[in-house]
Amino acid sequence: MSSSLLKIVRLVYFVLIMQKVQTGQVIEFYSNSCLVKTKVGKFSCIAIKNIVVGDFVELQIIQDSKKPLGKILKIKKRFSCLSIKNLNKEKFFAANITHIGILVSPKPKTSSEFIDKWIVKARLSNIEPFIINNKIDMKSDKEYLKKINIYEDINIKVINCSAKYGDNINELIDFIKNKCVLFIGNSGAGKSSLTSKIIGKNLKINNLSNDYGVHTTSISSLYELPNSIKIIDSPGMRDIELIEYPKEKIIFGFDEILECSKYCKFNDCNHINNEGCNVTKSLSDGVINKSRYNNFIKFKNL
Ligand SMILES: Nc1nc2c(ncn2[C@@H]2O[C@H](COP(=O)(O)OP(=O)(O)OP(=O)(O)O)[C@@H](O)[C@H]2O)c(=O)[nH]1
Ligand SMILES: [Mg+2]
Ligand SMILES: [Zn+2]
């Protein structure tokens, strides 16, 4: 095709798509712009208030001086939305995710508080949490392994893998089919390494052993695979607060404690020192794990 004919075809094509309202999904989000993937291509758009990665949007394509740009008209109704509140400031984080993969690693060591806080957050956001125990190629102490094993006992899926060497990646891929998964974890836990392994493309990773040229993920990006897998790689996180939730809701992140609490003598039992408390009884009988119980009490009193 001659170059002038190609230009005309391209022009007609853009005129056609510019007339129609397109729908798409936000796959990358920057401070004041975002990238939206539609059936007819990816378009850079000016961000609108509260928009996040994972949002489905309606947009109009407009021709800016050279390249086409998208103008977001509307954010579609979300089936889940995750936000983080710190010091009274609420930051929306990701939308339309079905599962949160909590990455844990022996180095940097993930605390049980971090895991339990994310389980609470996921449950209260209508999202299913599961655990990805990464870096199984590394030596880890018994205490750490014991800590991870308790989650299987409370029906939270645990997948042991090595993002670096590929061990068990297929099990993870099978599990996340038809799901939209957000990977969260401390900086250096291996979120980007894992995402790279799954999508088969090298993303920049955070080289822990080197103080120079360290790449820490700074934006959340959504990757789509042919087998209906959507993955969001997110920046590493230190700690989250749970201040946005009423204290009485914390128990929904602790299924096993919730179950036992149904047999406490009093409805308003504090599960610490009230008479007839079935939670403290189950704790001393070894039915409830001590670290889970301690985190439950701690989060209720934050
Ligand atoms: N031994 C080992 N190292 C790993 C594994 N997965 C990741 N790493 C290493 O851990 C370091 C951090 O990996 P990243 O994937 O950048 O971690 P991240 O969670 O994306 O970090 P942030 O973007 O800072 O949040 C890199 O040096 C990786 O090579 C693993 O399974 N085993
Ligand atoms: Mg990263
Ligand atoms: Zn009780």
Side-chain angles (χ1 to χ4, degrees):
M1 214 184 291
S2 75
S3 70
S4 52
L5 186 60
L6 201 68
K7 266 186 198 157
I8 295 170
V9 170
R10 204 175 277 160
L11 195 70
V12 171
Y13 177 69
F14 275 121
V15 169
L16 284 177
I17 65 168
M18 278 163 74
Q19 283 172 350
K20 240 177 97 185
V21 171
Q22 306 286 339
T23 55
Q25 189 170 26
V26 178
I27 57 167
E28 270 173 29
F29 179 79
Y30 308 93
S31 55
N32 52 10
S33 69
C34 59
L35 191 66
V36 176
K37 187 178 173 194
T38 71
K39 268 194 230 152
V40 292
K42 294 176 186 168
F43 300 94
S44 182
C45 304
I46 308 267
I48 59 171
K49 202 171 170 229
N50 286 342
I51 199 164
V52 284
V53 72
D55 262 325
F56 288 103
V57 294
E58 281 183 5
L59 71 160
Q60 186 96 51
I61 314 300
I62 46 172
Q63 184 81 28
D64 196 35
S65 55
K66 267 196 190 118
K67 57 175 194 196
L69 276 180
K71 183 174 176 228
I72 296 173
L73 307 171
K74 192 172 134 188
I75 302 176
K76 294 202 167 194
K77 197 168 181 291
R78 298 159 168 161
F79 60 77
S80 73
C81 186
L82 200 64
S83 64
I84 290 176
K85 200 166 182 180
N86 279 327
L87 302 169
N88 284 330
K89 256 183 96 180
E90 189 166 24
K91 215 178 136 212
F92 286 89
F93 197 74
N96 302 316
I97 39 179
T98 60
H99 289 69
I100 290 181
I102 307 168
L103 257 91
V104 305
S105 69
K107 202 177 165 201
K109 205 174 197 162
T110 314
S111 72
S112 69
E113 248 188 84
F114 185 90
I115 303 172
D116 288 339
K117 273 185 179 170
W118 273 100
I119 293 173
V120 171
K121 198 159 187 54
R123 292 262 192 252
L124 295 181
S125 310
N126 219 3
I127 300 168
E128 186 67 27
F130 70 103
I131 290 173
I132 302 168
N133 179 28
N134 190 31
K135 309 198 185 183
I136 52 168
D137 58 284
M138 279 176 104
K139 252 199 168 153
S140 45
D141 59 70
K142 275 197 186 132
E143 272 307 299
Y144 172 81
L145 291 173
K146 231 166 91 187
K147 195 163 79 183
I148 307 306
N149 284 336
I150 64 166
Y151 292 96
E152 285 192 313
D153 301 340
I154 54 165
N155 294 325
I156 289 186
K157 174 93 180 160
V158 178
I159 295 176
N160 302 299
C161 68
S162 166
K164 189 166 182 174
Y165 298 103
D167 308 16
N168 279 346
I169 298 295
N170 285 339
E171 186 192 342
L172 178 61
I173 293 178
D174 271 350
F175 180 71
I176 63 177
K177 268 183 193 145
N178 302 313
K179 294 172 182 151
C180 180
V181 185
L182 169 72
F183 288 155
I184 61 99
N186 300 124
S187 182
K191 300 175 291 300
S192 299
S193 306
L194 197 59
T195 308
S196 300
K197 256 297 180 280
I198 297 172
I199 65 170
K201 211 158 83 185
N202 277 341
L203 303 176
K204 287 187 181 141
I205 61 163
N206 172 358
N207 195 343
L208 292 176
S209 57
N210 183 352
D211 284 340
Y212 298 97
V214 167
H215 184 87
T216 286
T217 309
S218 57
I219 59 156
S220 296
S221 306
L222 186 148
Y223 303 93
E224 200 173 351
L225 295 176
N227 40 5
S228 287
I229 293 177
K230 286 182 181 178
I231 303 170
I232 301 178
D233 178 19
S234 68
M237 248 169 274
R238 282 231 176 95
D239 195 14
I240 52 163
E241 297 172 27
L242 296 170
I243 45 175
E244 61 271 50
Y245 305 113
K247 299 295 168 219
E248 67 275 12
K249 289 255 166 95
I250 297 294
I251 199 162
F252 291 105
F254 296 85
D255 282 356
E256 73 282 33
I257 300 181
L258 178 67
E259 217 28 61
C260 291
S261 74
K262 291 178 182 162
Y263 303 97
C264 290
K265 188 171 175 186
F266 301 109
N267 276 342
D268 60 348
C269 181
N270 67 3
H271 312 308
I272 298 173
N273 51 14
N274 282 171
E275 186 205 323
C277 175
N278 188 48
V279 170
T280 46
K281 181 181 177 296
S282 306
L283 176 70
S284 40
D285 290 349
V287 175
I288 292 176
N289 173 272
K290 197 156 190 284
S291 146
R292 290 273 296 164
Y293 174 79
N294 288 344
N295 283 340
F296 166 63
I297 298 297
K298 190 170 179 186
F299 300 169
K300 270 204 330 154
N301 295 302
L302 278 179

